[in-house]
Amino acid sequence: MYSYSDYVESAKALCRKLGEFCPEVLIILGSGLGRLGERLKDPISVPYSEIPHMHASTAPGHKGRFLAGELGGKQVLMMQGRLHIYEGRTAEEAVFPIRVARLTGIEKMIVTNAAGGVNESYKPGELMLISDFIKLNSVNPLIGPNIEEFGPRFPDMTRVFDREYMGLFNDIAASHGESVHEGVYFYTTGPQYETPAEIRAMRILGADAVGMSTVPECIAARHCGMRILGITLVTNMAAGILDKPLSGEEVVEAGNAASDRLSSYVTEFLGRL
Ligand code: HPA
């Protein structure tokens, strides 16, 4: 369990490393999407291990450091590598960096992820703006004593994802001739991929994509009042849709293939924020 003073201590340590730099947007880079970090000019790199109370990231394609720099004319803080619950982190640990970022003054978050397409009309390589999520009763970063400094005990989740941000991103993709989906992200802890029966059940419940990240982070970010844009890259069709097994390599490869395109859209988005 962290106390509020742990977050404050970590935020102070991060601010010391950032010096004059004062990021206004947090960007979380998903599997294979870490290359967005290469677009930062002279970034300040802060490995998670240099921040008190923070854990390293062990997932493939996740480096485990903050990168701060300018992108699209905005000062941003990137998480190149996130913490997943399947790595053995608690939900509270997984969202620790989001709360630390909030305490440095950041109020906006762009979260990206790789996910399986549950909606059968989706295709690998397509983008989906997350309009809502389904988590039901699995792990939750807000379980435990509520930290009032961040937000209320029972936070509202009626609109987690910012409509204005979604509209802006949509316009940017459209100006490049691409139409992006808007859909519901179903959260599972993983690390095993789903069974075909689970995917059928998720579809009945209203899911369009399934993944192992993002939702704990968005819950924590909304709890502390951040505005969120959530972008899913459909890296594969979910289990049982195509007649082939799923693999982590396929996910990272699809992430790499889409990385430049998604990076351009995010850069433009920041320019118009
Ligand atoms: N399921 C869960 N998580 C994922 C998938 C999937 O099919 N693809 C990428 N992340």
Side-chain angles (χ1 to χ4, degrees):
M1 285 273 151
Y2 295 114
S3 65
Y4 186 62
S5 59
D6 295 333
Y7 295 99
V8 172
E9 190 190 342
S10 299
K12 281 187 181 152
L14 180 58
C15 284
R16 266 198 304 276
K17 304 254 179 212
L18 299 182
E20 305 276 278
F21 204 79
C22 196
E24 57 172 303
V25 186
L26 174 68
I27 306 177
I28 306 179
L29 304 173
S31 306
L33 304 172
R35 270 165 36 191
L36 183 58
E38 291 166 15
R39 297 206 170 201
L40 297 179
K41 270 189 270 127
D42 305 321
I44 306 168
S45 166
V46 184
Y48 296 155
S49 56
E50 292 181 9
I51 299 293
H53 311 292
M54 267 203 70
H55 294 274
S57 171
T58 64
H62 289 253
K63 283 209 169 100
R65 62 181 184 188
F66 287 114
L67 281 182
E70 206 176 286
L71 190 68
K74 296 282 183 315
Q75 298 202 345
V76 301
L77 181 70
M78 286 185 185
M79 284 176 60
Q80 209 174 30
R82 53 152 57 97
L83 306 170
H84 301 83
I85 283 151
Y86 65 70
E87 295 171 69
R89 304 271 69 99
T90 63
E92 194 195 22
E93 287 165 350
V95 305
F96 187 81
I98 286 88
R99 289 172 151 181
V100 169
R102 179 70 192 87
L103 289 183
T104 69
I106 294 178
E107 293 177 341
K108 300 167 187 162
M109 179 169 100
I110 302 174
V111 54
T112 65
N113 61 57
V118 173
N119 185 320
E120 287 169 297
S121 75
Y122 287 10
K123 293 189 190 62
E126 291 179 341
L127 295 174
M128 179 189 95
L129 291 176
I130 308 176
S131 58
D132 206 347
F133 66 70
I134 302 174
K135 185 185 73 62
L136 304 179
N137 280 327
S138 60
V139 287
N140 190 314
L142 304 183
I143 288 176
N146 185 50
I147 301 182
E148 293 291 325
E149 287 88 344
F150 286 122
R153 170 77 291 186
F154 301 110
D156 174 60
M157 293 282 145
T158 310
R159 180 141 299 291
V160 176
F161 300 95
D162 194 282
R163 299 302 312 177
E164 204 182 312
Y165 287 0
M166 290 172 73
L168 186 54
F169 191 92
N170 221 353
D171 291 350
I172 290 163
S175 73
H176 290 271
E178 175 167 354
S179 88
V180 294
H181 301 293
E182 280 186 17
V184 174
Y185 178 98
F186 194 108
Y187 172 74
T188 153
T189 61
Q192 88 287 358
Y193 289 116
E194 303 69 37
T195 64
E198 286 169 334
I199 295 300
R200 287 194 299 275
M202 289 176 191
R203 194 176 300 122
I204 290 167
L205 291 177
D208 296 294
V210 57
M212 308 176 194
S213 68
T214 301
V215 168
E217 295 148 346
C218 290
I219 291 173
R222 272 314 288 154
H223 180 238
C224 61
M226 293 172 87
R227 290 180 74 178
I228 309 171
L229 175 71
I231 311 166
T232 286
L233 169 68
V234 179
T235 50
N236 56 283
M237 294 314 290
I241 297 180
L242 304 176
D243 188 19
K244 60 172 192 166
L246 273 50
S247 81
E249 290 76 43
E250 171 187 38
V251 169
V252 172
E253 269 166 37
N256 287 335
S259 190
D260 284 341
R261 184 169 119 252
L262 181 54
S263 299
S264 301
Y265 296 172
V266 169
T267 308
E268 259 184 72
F269 177 83
L270 289 164
R272 288 172 57 181
L273 254 193

